[in-house]
Each structure stands twice: as structure tokens, then as C-alpha cells.
């Protein structure tokens, strides 16, 4: 079976991910590079693993997590759909079974909150893993030098996020997103202003997996 390590080492994947990040950087968005993709890949796999998924689907979730933002190489608009098609072509070229490649394609095509829905276990795990990565390291260096008034709300929220992690509690039937925010840099309300729709999608994704989604910020349960 094709593994996420095989995908990471593929020359075409490396080039497309490099181009995707260069476009995102030029547009001024937060980091969507190998760092983000690697974290999402690991978390998506861990979510399925901890709820008892089989090794095959876990590996597909890892691959989907790693490739989920390659559509940014085409355009930020519609990046989920363009990325899904790119991933399918790359994975089948690498020898992946058509059905497996189609599962990854479907997951990537549904990971964005604007039009995505949790339509499979892989999709649901990818959605939660992607939306959980809020962290100050994702803010561009030139942005961190701006005054707080010059930064947009996405920058402020990410810059204030000291830590984010996913905790899966199978016995309690819970998937918990635990975030630590420096409220001197950004009020918690700012997080909800830009992430509310994403959290709603995470709730639907957790429900698809038969679990309850819980959001904890600074030790306080908010969802």
C-alpha cells in the first residue's frame, strides 16, 4: 500500500506543495506549508486510530491530511476541489488503487468549511485535524512586526494561540479541541468571529464519527 512517507518523498508532490505555499504567501494568508500539512496528516491519522479505525483507512487519512491544501497551487478560490483532482491524479500515477485514491479525493474536496461536509470517516478526521491547527507559528514574519491594529483578525487569532491540540476520549465519546489563547493579544470572541463556521463543521464531523465535539479555550468548555 502507498504510504504517506511515499507521498512526502514524491518529486511532483514536493514541487506542487512548494508552489502552493508561494502563492499563499504572496496572497498574505497564514502558513499552509509542509508544517501545517504534516500536523494535519498526523492528527487525522491519530483521530481514526484512537476511535478504532483500521490501519488502511488511517493511512488514507494521513495521506489526505498531507495533500489537503495542494489546490492552493492553482488558486486559493476553490482550492479544495482543485486539490482533490490533483491528488487523485498524483496518487493514481503513483500506483494507488483507484478506490483508495477516490476516497482521498472525496475527503480533500470536502475539507473546506464553505462547501465541505463530513461524508466519510476519512473526511471527518481531516476536517477536524485541519481546523484544529491554530498557532502563532502560522503567522508570517512580516505580519508579526505589524502593530496589532494593522494585523487582520486571522493574524491576531493565530498569533495569540500559544497551543492547540486534539484529544480523543473514546470511552467518553468525545473529540476535544483544546486551545490556549493569550487574551492580551486577542480576545476569545475574535476566535469565534472567524472560526464559528469551522467549529460547526467540526461538530458535524465528530457526529459522523459517532462522537461529540468539544471546544475548550483556556481551560473553559465553550462547546
Amino acid at each position: 500500500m502507498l504510504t504517506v512517507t511515499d507521498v512526502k518523498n514524491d518529486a511532483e508532490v514536493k514541487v506542487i506543495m512548494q508552489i502552493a505555499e508561494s502563492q499563499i504567501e504572496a496572497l498574505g494568508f497564514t502558513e499552509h506549508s509542509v508544517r501545517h500539512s504534516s500536523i494535519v496528516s498526523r492528527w487525522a491519522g491519530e483521530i481514526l486510530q484512537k476511535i478504532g479505525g483500521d490501519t488502511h483507512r488511517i493511512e488514507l487519512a494521513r495521506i489526505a491530511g498531507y495533500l489537503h491544501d495542494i489546490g492552493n497551487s492553482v488558486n486559493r478560490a476553490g482550492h479544495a476541489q482543485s486539490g482533490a483532482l490533483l491528488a487523485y491524479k498524483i496518487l493514481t500515477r503513483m500506483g494507488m488503487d483507484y478506490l483508495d485514491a477516490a476516497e482521498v479525493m472525496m475527503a480533500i474536496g470536502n475539507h473546506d468549511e464553505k462547501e465541505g461536509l463530513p461524508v466519510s470517516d476519512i473526511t471527518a478526521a481531516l476536517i477536524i485535524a485541519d481546523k484544529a491547527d491554530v498557532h502563532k507559528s502560522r503567522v508570517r514574519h512580516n505580519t508579526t512586526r505589524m502593530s496589532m491594529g494593522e494585523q487582520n483578525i486571522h493574524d491576531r487569532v493565530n498569533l495569540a494561540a500559544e497551543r492547540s491540540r486534539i484529544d480523543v476520549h473514546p470511552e467518553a465519546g468525545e473529540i476535544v479541541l483544546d486551545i490556549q489563547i493569550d487574551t492580551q493579544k486577542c480576545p476569545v470572541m475574535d476566535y469565534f468571529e472567524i472560526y464559528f463556521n469551522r467549529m460547526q463543521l467540526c461538530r458535524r464531523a465528530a457526529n459522523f464519527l459517532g462522537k461529540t465535539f468539544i471546544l475548550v479555550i483556556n481551560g473553559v468548555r465553550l462547546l
Side-chain angles (χ1 to χ4, degrees), residues 103-167:
E103 288 272 14
V104 173
M105 176 178 67
M106 182 169 67
I108 293 174
N110 278 281
H111 84 270
D112 190 69
E113 68 275 7
K114 295 181 182 68
E115 59 275 315
L117 290 170
V119 291
S120 71
D121 55 345
I122 296 169
T123 309
L126 171 58
I127 286 170
I128 297 169
D130 180 38
K131 307 316 172 194
D133 186 25
V134 184
H135 193 263
K136 59 185 178 182
S137 62
R138 299 192 68 188
V139 181
R140 306 288 178 187
H141 292 301
N142 62 333
T143 305
T144 60
R145 290 195 294 268
M146 294 179 182
S147 70
M148 294 306 291
E150 293 174 304
Q151 293 167 8
N152 66 41
I153 190 170
H154 288 83
D155 294 331
R156 291 201 304 274
V157 169
N158 277 278
L159 192 60
E162 301 290 335
R163 172 186 53 77
S164 64
R165 71 167 187 260
I166 289 287
D167 294 320

Side-chain angles (χ1 to χ4, degrees), residues 128 167-169 172-177 202-215 221 223:
I128 297 169
D167 294 320
V168 180
H169 305 295
E174 296 175 347
I175 298 176
V176 182
L177 171 54
C202 284
R203 175 182 282 176
R204 297 180 72 170
N207 288 344
F208 188 95
L209 296 172
K211 310 299 178 186
T212 300
F213 178 74
I214 294 174
L215 173 65
R221 176 173 171 168
L223 284 179

Side-chain angles (χ1 to χ4, degrees), residues 46-73:
E46 287 177 356
I47 290 168
L48 287 195
Q49 184 178 38
K50 290 179 179 178
I51 66 171
D54 66 64
T55 56
H56 186 79
R57 309 250 341 145
I58 291 168
E59 196 63 28
L60 292 180
R62 289 175 179 147
I63 292 170
Y66 192 74
L67 296 177
H68 77 283
D69 273 337
I70 62 172
N72 287 318
S73 63

Side-chain angles (χ1 to χ4, degrees), residues 70-87 108-109:
I70 62 172
N72 287 318
S73 63
V74 180
N75 196 295
R76 178 61 181 170
H79 76 283
Q81 285 69 43
S82 58
L85 296 174
L86 274 171
I108 293 174

